[in-house]
Amino acid sequence: MSSISKEEVARVAGLARIALTDAEIDQFASELAVISDAIAKVSEVAAPDVPATSHPIPLANVWREDVVAPSDLDRDEVLAMAPEQEDGKFSVPQILGEE
């Protein structure tokens, strides 16, 4: 079992300029030790002949092609249901502080 000492946690926190209480240092030392042990277990089974993967099951794109097609919706009718509209478009609140 690998062990991450409280001194190591305090040193790294100091380098990152993060103020930690003694209770937080204890907690993080314990949690980091668990993470380190989990990584060690994975390293035991990871052999050079095992290819690296990001997912255990291969992923496939299930999206359909984006094809432009005529709509049955009436633009004026849809805009009439919107809370706000401006110049024939939906109007939404500004969120980024830009003009």
Side-chain angles (χ1 to χ4, degrees):
M1 177 172 132
S2 82
S3 177
I4 307 290
S5 71
K6 295 176 189 177
E7 292 77 22
E8 289 175 298
V9 172
R11 184 181 72 79
V12 172
L15 291 172
R17 301 188 191 283
I18 299 172
L20 296 177
T21 65
D22 288 338
E24 289 171 325
I25 290 173
D26 291 341
Q27 176 187 350
F28 291 137
S30 173
E31 290 174 357
L32 288 169
V34 170
I35 292 169
S36 177
D37 290 342
I39 291 170
K41 279 188 179 181
V42 170
S43 296
E44 288 174 11
V45 297
D49 59 332
V50 176
T53 59
S54 62
H55 298 283
I57 299 170
L59 299 178
N61 186 354
V62 295
W63 296 357
R64 64 172 171 76
E65 288 293 319
D66 190 12
V67 178
V68 177
S71 173
D72 295 333
L73 298 174
D74 179 60
R75 180 182 184 155
D76 294 329
E77 190 177 330
V78 172
L79 286 172
M81 292 186 274
E84 291 186 44
Q85 61 170 307
E86 184 178 320
D87 298 328
K89 298 176 248 175
F90 294 109
S91 179
V92 295
Q94 181 177 344
I95 59 168
L96 299 177
E98 299 173 349
E99 291 295 319

